[in-house]
Amino acid sequence: MQKPSLPSGTRDFGPVVLKRRKAIMQVLERVFVSHGFDPLETPALENLKTLQGKYGDEGDQLLFRILNSGDYLSKAPEADRHDSKALSPWIADRGLRYDLTVPLARFVVMNRGQLPMPFKRYQMQPVWRADRPQKGRYREFWQCDIDVVGADSVLCEAELVEMYLKAFQQLGLGVEIRINHRGLLDSLMPSLGSASAWSEFMVAMDKADKIGQEGVSQELRNRHLEHAVRVWEGLCAAQQEGDFESKLKAFEALAFFKNEDANAQSILQAEEALKKAADELRLLRSLLPAQASVVLDLTLARGLSYYTGAVFEVSPKDERLPLDFRLGSIGGGGRYDNLTGAFGLPDVPGVGVSFGLDRIYDTMEAAGLFDQMPSTWKGILFCPMDEASFPDAVRLAREVRHCGYAAEVYPSAAKLKKQLDYANQRGWCLAAILGENERLSQTVALKDLNEGSQSTVSYDDLVTHLKTHLPNG
Amino acid sequence: MQKPSLPSGTRDFGPVVLKRRKAIMQVLERVFVSHGFDPLETPALENLKTLQGKYGDEGDQLLFRILNSGDYLSKAPEADRHDSKALSPWIADRGLRYDLTVPLARFVVMNRGQLPMPFKRYQMQPVWRADRPQKGRYREFWQCDIDVVGADSVLCEAELVEMYLKAFQQLGLGVEIRINHRGLLDSLMPSLGSASAWSEFMVAMDKADKIGQEGVSQELRNRHLEHAVRVWEGLCAAQQEGDFESKLKAFEALAFFKNEDANAQSILQAEEALKKAADELRLLRSLLPAQASVVLDLTLARGLSYYTGAVFEVSPKDERLPLDFRLGSIGGGGRYDNLTGAFGLPDVPGVGVSFGLDRIYDTMEAAGLFDQMPSTWKGILFCPMDEASFPDAVRLAREVRHCGYAAEVYPSAAKLKKQLDYANQRGWCLAAILGENERLSQTVALKDLNEGSQSTVSYDDLVTHLKTHLPNG
């Protein structure tokens, strides 16, 4: 007899965990809807043509491919039957969704002309990646994305950041939102001397989290990027300034620490990029509540190949978290210029952010936020002491539910201890014991499972009693 | 440039459809929770070992198999590389979930000892079948199952039927629930003469929907099953009786129309099966509300190989449906004896029913039930007439949301007509127009998009105005 198991990197979500996940998703969904976002769901199965070439070579490797049905080998030429890579295209036409962005782009292209523009959508669905499973990294995991497609105003960025703030506030988790702008980084080009130096600088900067400020300087020095070392130190100094505006001013001063080799054209481009970025950042900041926990992070790079404007990252900042808690960002996103170009529809701009559901869950758990979540059922487990009590128990449970409470009848006349153990295990707060004596007097023995107290309540008074003792049914 | 498409048999759920689907699922979920059912979600990916051999040969053919990662051919022996069937086991270890019952069984076995028993769970997730796509049949579709595992009391059947009744009542769709019992059908064995005649009888009876009563008789006659013809005609006569109890009595009379060839042992077994079934049916009926739309359907067979006790099927019965509407059942289920036997845990009984989400949607649409669903956003689209109005629009939208309404700021100072077209397309009921004049007087021009009327409302009065005009924010 086989012993069943789960594929590596996948999980069951049992009741305890799933109820918490659902509570998180419900909070997020309420925020999305209050901002006029519409839901979208796309199929798990996509044509591999849709997915391939969108996530780089590494991404293509990580796609889950579905074997074609029937005699899938029939079309494969003999020559390609001995090499996994060569055979794949012959035997697998479909794959599993890898993220929610490419399906969004496909949906927008397939439904263009019918969608309201801007198209504001939220999507919460699992995605699949054939990655090596690790702690906190799964092969099947959930993403939650919100995007505004077809609009290029900073109002959209402001709205998304405000939604981040509100969502985490309503989840009860303290966070900090770091913001940067691709234009600021672009404007560093002349200071760095060359496009290749700029790229090397970006790669080194991206490691600051791991190797620290001095580590980045050292790496730049090792690569003989003297300009870059000076820019990096200037950036770190600007980053030390207090508030959003001071940092931005310090950056503006820094960016025109020009390299003498830079030509006039590239300086002009950099000036324009800087002006646009600084204007957008100032407008964005002004549209957010003054007290919002939003900081300018001049060293935030975040997937530069994709983003073209503002970029965001959310980190937990909550004093209830253990000091050694290190999980990294729990959300991020930014503005892009060209969502649908790969599907033949150019010039569709947009901006989007995602919520890392799994990491949000882990962070909230580490901060003890679920401890306060009510785990009990607001209602009654009816405990029949004999089969003759079934009808009354069923009828009373029906009345209790009718008033908005949960109710359950234990499905046998088992020993009372067994039934009460079940009630405690399930988290019922009340148990109504119903046997021959109770039936004759048309009462139940109502046991408060938290306090242990017991009282006799008549059939007729049961609902009134509940309304008094469980006020928010 | 590639033109994107969806794999055959899959669907995008855009905003309009998805909001309705979510409303349906929310109603179902509320009913489940009010009965103390817990949610469960299992991964889309399962080991093929878990799935294979559970759905019959045809089911095995319809499983979606996932190609192993990396050099998947490396383990495949040369001899098996030329035959699709022989190669499969070497190159695919995992498949996609085919239903929600096998994953439930796997979950129960893997978590036994930790689950409260009875384990009452609901599960709403997509499943995948490599079937030929047809109208109303998809390769990726949703199932919604509720099961009570580990209990053998008829109280469970009664609870599930009551949940069916309540769910469809709350969805506003008229239905009829047909009930039968495997024991009644088993008790026909001696009347039919042999196990093989009994099986042929079941197969013929299952076609009654399509070929009619006389068609079944004819088929039985063609097969020279004279006893079966008499049983069938008796069954149909019993079926004509009016209420639950009369039909059951008629059946009890019929079942002992014994075949002279039957031996005493098989008659005894049949008597016992009949008595148990009739007792359970009577108890079940007595536990349901007297006026419930529940009928005994003596001809309901429903997957006999799997079920062992009561079986259920739900059909729409709603006068708002077109007369030619034929979609078949929108739910069904029954009692089983051995959920987890295939995974080495014998004797776990249970009972479960499923809700056919796609068919429920189609039926509700055909009955026009979505026409009454509010499709508008309760709240305001703010329409800024110049960029200088952005900050006020953002702030007012924030206040409106704070009071529980939805609000959105159009993300550019586009022409008013364009903004109002968008408001209508999205279904906003109010638009607040905000330009220089309004800013100076701290007012908005509030347009009712249903009635076309317009009024001037001050910033300070906006929320109060909303509370008066949109009472249930």
Side-chain angles (χ1 to χ4, degrees):
Chain A
M1 199 61 71
Q2 58 177 287
K3 209 179 146 191
S5 62
L6 273 176
S8 155
T10 70
R11 294 164 288 173
D12 286 321
F13 295 117
V16 175
V17 172
L18 187 53
K19 280 190 221 173
R20 294 170 177 174
R21 287 176 64 94
K22 279 174 179 272
I24 294 174
M25 291 196 253
Q26 211 170 41
V27 166
L28 299 183
E29 194 162 13
R30 260 203 311 262
V31 171
F32 304 158
V33 169
S34 78
H35 281 258
F37 278 69
D38 266 334
L40 172 70
E41 286 182 5
T42 62
L45 298 184
E46 293 274 0
N47 290 320
L48 279 170
K49 274 189 301 195
T50 301
L51 301 175
Q52 277 164 333
K54 308 300 188 302
Y55 307 107
D57 286 348
E58 204 200 340
D60 281 351
Q61 300 286 325
L62 300 183
L63 291 172
F64 276 112
R65 285 150 218 270
I66 311 263
L67 205 51
N68 293 342
S69 303
D71 186 10
Y72 56 86
L73 276 176
S74 62
K75 283 187 230 143
E78 183 56 36
D80 286 339
R81 290 191 184 192
H82 303 278
D83 178 75
S84 293
K85 241 190 182 136
L87 184 60
S88 275
W90 298 105
I91 64 173
D93 294 333
R94 288 154 303 186
L96 293 178
R97 185 171 55 217
Y98 182 88
D99 74 355
L100 304 180
T101 304
V102 166
L104 169 65
R106 178 193 52 66
F107 178 81
V108 167
V109 172
M110 285 177 67
N111 295 276
R112 66 175 175 276
Q114 292 155 50
L115 293 177
M117 278 292 159
F119 178 54
K120 303 169 79 175
R121 84 87 173 78
Y122 67 90
Q123 190 168 358
M124 297 194 256
Q125 290 190 281
V127 300
W128 293 268
R129 298 184 184 176
D131 231 331
R132 189 174 299 278
Q134 300 174 13
K135 188 174 154 44
R137 186 187 291 174
Y138 303 98
R139 287 184 168 161
E140 173 171 335
F141 60 100
W142 282 68
Q143 288 195 336
C144 170
D145 280 17
I146 48 178
D147 286 83
V148 184
V149 177
D152 58 9
S153 158
V154 179
L155 277 173
C156 305
E157 278 88 331
E159 177 160 48
L160 295 180
V161 173
E162 187 155 349
M163 289 165 79
Y164 259 152
L165 291 165
K166 199 189 295 180
F168 287 108
Q169 185 214 322
Q170 294 193 0
L171 289 173
L173 185 68
V175 298
E176 178 179 79
I177 300 178
R178 288 172 295 128
I179 302 182
N180 200 5
H181 196 294
R182 165 72 190 254
L184 294 192
L185 301 176
D186 284 346
S187 78
L188 294 171
M189 192 83 80
S191 310
L192 289 162
S194 72
S196 69
W198 184 86
S199 297
E200 287 186 79
F201 178 78
M202 290 298 145
V203 170
M205 186 173 83
D206 225 15
K207 298 184 192 162
D209 263 5
K210 285 175 198 145
I211 62 178
Q213 179 184 339
E214 190 43 48
V216 174
S217 297
Q218 194 54 52
E219 176 153 341
L220 295 171
R221 238 175 258 124
N222 293 348
R223 291 165 179 264
H224 307 292
L225 297 166
E226 294 310 323
H227 288 304
V229 176
R230 277 198 289 170
V231 171
W232 174 244
E233 283 166 2
L235 212 57
C236 291
Q239 184 74 359
Q240 293 308 310
E241 295 290 330
D243 64 8
F244 203 97
E245 179 58 29
S246 321
K247 278 188 195 171
L248 192 50
K249 279 224 176 74
F251 183 91
E252 286 173 315
L254 166 80
F256 290 91
F257 173 80
K258 286 169 232 160
N259 182 328
E260 305 89 60
D261 306 335
N263 63 39
Q265 173 68 16
S266 85
I267 289 175
L268 196 69
Q269 279 178 355
E271 278 175 344
E272 276 170 9
L274 173 58
K275 181 168 183 330
K276 183 167 185 289
D279 284 354
E280 288 188 9
L281 285 171
R282 287 195 170 97
L283 177 55
L284 169 55
R285 187 62 192 85
S286 76
L287 292 172
L288 296 171
Q291 77 288 3
S293 179
V294 165
V295 299
L296 182 62
D297 182 352
L298 300 166
T299 68
L300 178 66
R302 217 189 145 73
L304 275 174
S305 61
Y306 179 64
Y307 295 115
T308 54
V311 290
F312 315 104
E313 210 163 273
V314 186
S315 310
K317 193 177 180 182
D318 196 301
E319 56 194 12
R320 290 162 297 184
L321 286 169
L323 287 174
D324 62 346
F325 184 79
R326 292 279 176 281
L327 197 82
S329 74
I330 53 178
R335 175 166 284 285
Y336 43 82
D337 262 353
N338 189 4
L339 177 68
T340 54
F343 297 116
L345 185 66
D347 302 325
V348 174
V351 56
V353 298
S354 69
F355 291 79
L357 281 181
D358 291 299
R359 285 187 173 185
I360 290 172
Y361 183 97
D362 291 347
T363 307
M364 287 179 67
E365 189 169 49
L369 298 190
F370 296 130
D371 303 347
Q372 302 147 22
M373 240 177 93
S375 62
T376 52
W377 294 89
K378 273 205 178 136
I380 304 188
L381 176 74
F382 286 87
C383 303
M385 294 294 100
D386 54 9
E387 297 201 356
S389 298
F390 287 175
D392 282 7
V394 166
R395 189 174 54 74
L396 289 170
R398 192 179 296 147
E399 284 174 21
V400 166
R401 284 185 209 111
H402 192 71
C403 296
Y405 299 97
E408 185 183 1
V409 181
Y410 191 88
S412 84
K415 289 230 170 70
L416 181 58
K417 177 166 181 333
K418 190 173 177 188
Q419 297 197 38
L420 292 181
D421 283 351
Y422 173 81
N424 283 314
Q425 200 183 355
R426 294 293 315 283
W428 288 98
C429 56
L430 293 170
I433 304 158
L434 188 49
E436 193 181 358
N437 289 340
E438 285 79 14
R439 255 188 356 266
L440 289 174
S441 60
Q442 301 272 296
T443 61
V444 297
L446 198 63
K447 202 173 168 71
D448 184 316
L449 295 168
N450 299 318
E451 299 174 9
S453 60
Q454 191 166 318
S455 54
T456 300
V457 180
S458 77
Y459 286 4
D460 291 343
D461 293 343
L462 189 58
V463 164
T464 318
H465 184 93
L466 268 184
K467 283 186 180 162
T468 322
H469 289 75
L470 298 173
N472 303 309
Chain B
M1 198 60 72
Q2 55 175 289
K3 209 179 145 190
S5 63
L6 274 176
S8 156
T10 70
R11 294 163 289 172
D12 287 320
F13 294 117
V16 175
V17 173
L18 186 52
K19 280 189 220 173
R20 294 170 178 173
R21 287 175 65 93
K22 279 175 179 271
I24 294 174
M25 290 195 251
Q26 212 170 40
V27 166
L28 299 183
E29 193 162 13
R30 260 202 312 263
V31 171
F32 303 159
V33 169
S34 78
H35 281 258
F37 278 68
D38 266 334
L40 173 68
E41 286 182 6
T42 62
L45 299 184
E46 291 275 2
N47 290 320
L48 279 170
K49 273 189 302 198
T50 302
L51 302 175
Q52 277 164 333
K54 309 299 189 299
Y55 307 107
D57 286 348
E58 203 199 344
D60 280 352
Q61 300 286 324
L62 300 183
L63 292 172
F64 276 111
R65 284 149 219 269
I66 312 264
L67 205 51
N68 293 342
S69 303
D71 187 11
Y72 57 86
L73 276 176
S74 62
K75 283 186 230 146
E78 183 56 37
D80 286 339
R81 291 193 184 190
H82 304 278
D83 178 75
S84 294
K85 243 191 181 137
L87 183 60
S88 276
W90 298 105
I91 64 173
D93 294 334
R94 288 155 302 187
L96 293 178
R97 182 172 55 218
Y98 182 88
D99 74 354
L100 303 179
T101 304
V102 167
L104 169 65
R106 178 194 51 67
F107 178 83
V108 167
V109 172
M110 286 176 68
N111 294 276
R112 65 176 176 277
Q114 292 154 53
L115 293 178
M117 278 293 160
F119 178 55
K120 302 169 80 175
R121 84 86 172 81
Y122 67 91
Q123 189 167 359
M124 296 194 257
Q125 289 191 283
V127 300
W128 292 268
R129 297 185 184 176
D131 230 330
R132 190 174 300 276
Q134 300 174 11
K135 188 173 155 41
R137 186 188 291 176
Y138 303 98
R139 287 183 168 161
E140 173 171 337
F141 60 99
W142 282 68
Q143 288 194 336
C144 169
D145 280 17
I146 50 179
D147 285 83
V148 184
V149 177
D152 57 10
S153 158
V154 180
L155 276 174
C156 304
E157 278 88 331
E159 177 160 48
L160 294 180
V161 173
E162 186 155 350
M163 288 165 79
Y164 259 153
L165 292 166
K166 200 189 294 179
F168 287 107
Q169 185 213 324
Q170 294 193 2
L171 289 173
L173 185 69
V175 297
E176 178 179 80
I177 300 178
R178 288 171 295 128
I179 302 181
N180 200 6
H181 197 293
R182 164 72 190 253
L184 294 193
L185 301 176
D186 284 347
S187 77
L188 294 172
M189 192 85 80
S191 310
L192 288 161
S194 71
S196 69
W198 183 87
S199 297
E200 288 186 78
F201 179 78
M202 290 298 145
V203 170
M205 186 174 81
D206 225 13
K207 298 184 192 163
D209 263 5
K210 285 175 199 144
I211 61 177
Q213 177 183 340
E214 189 42 48
V216 174
S217 297
Q218 193 55 52
E219 176 155 339
L220 295 171
R221 239 174 258 122
N222 294 347
R223 290 165 179 267
H224 306 292
L225 298 166
E226 295 309 325
H227 287 305
V229 176
R230 276 198 290 173
V231 171
W232 173 242
E233 282 165 2
L235 213 54
C236 291
Q239 184 73 359
Q240 294 306 312
E241 296 290 329
D243 65 7
F244 203 98
E245 180 57 31
S246 319
K247 279 188 194 172
L248 192 49
K249 280 224 177 73
F251 184 91
E252 286 172 317
L254 167 79
F256 290 92
F257 174 80
K258 282 171 241 163
N259 182 328
E260 304 87 61
D261 305 337
N263 63 40
Q265 172 69 13
S266 84
I267 290 175
L268 196 67
Q269 279 177 355
E271 278 175 343
E272 277 169 9
L274 174 59
K275 181 168 185 328
K276 183 166 184 291
D279 284 353
E280 288 188 7
L281 285 170
R282 288 195 169 96
L283 178 54
L284 169 56
R285 186 63 193 85
S286 77
L287 292 172
L288 296 171
Q291 78 289 3
S293 178
V294 166
V295 299
L296 182 63
D297 181 353
L298 299 167
T299 69
L300 179 66
R302 219 193 143 69
L304 275 174
S305 61
Y306 181 63
Y307 294 115
T308 53
V311 289
F312 316 104
E313 209 162 273
V314 185
S315 310
K317 193 177 181 182
D318 196 301
E319 55 193 16
R320 290 161 299 183
L321 284 170
L323 286 175
D324 61 346
F325 184 79
R326 291 277 177 282
L327 198 81
S329 74
I330 53 178
R335 175 165 285 285
Y336 42 83
D337 261 353
N338 189 5
L339 177 69
T340 54
F343 298 114
L345 185 66
D347 301 325
V348 174
V351 55
V353 298
S354 69
F355 290 78
L357 281 181
D358 291 299
R359 286 188 173 185
I360 291 171
Y361 183 98
D362 292 346
T363 307
M364 288 178 67
E365 189 171 49
L369 298 190
F370 295 130
D371 304 348
Q372 304 146 21
M373 239 177 94
S375 63
T376 51
W377 294 90
K378 274 204 178 137
I380 305 189
L381 176 73
F382 286 88
C383 303
M385 294 294 101
D386 55 8
E387 299 201 355
S389 298
F390 287 176
D392 283 7
V394 167
R395 189 174 53 75
L396 289 170
R398 192 179 295 146
E399 284 174 21
V400 166
R401 283 186 210 109
H402 192 70
C403 296
Y405 299 97
E408 184 183 2
V409 180
Y410 191 87
S412 83
K415 289 229 170 72
L416 181 59
K417 177 168 183 328
K418 190 173 176 186
Q419 297 196 38
L420 292 181
D421 284 350
Y422 173 82
N424 283 315
Q425 201 184 354
R426 292 294 315 284
W428 287 99
C429 56
L430 294 170
I433 303 159
L434 189 49
E436 193 181 357
N437 289 339
E438 286 79 13
R439 250 179 12 257
L440 289 174
S441 61
Q442 301 271 297
T443 62
V444 296
L446 198 63
K447 202 175 168 69
D448 185 316
L449 294 168
N450 298 319
E451 301 173 9
S453 60
Q454 191 167 317
S455 55
T456 301
V457 180
S458 76
Y459 287 5
D460 290 345
D461 292 343
L462 189 57
V463 164
T464 318
H465 184 92
L466 270 184
K467 283 186 181 162
T468 321
H469 288 76
L470 298 174
N472 303 309

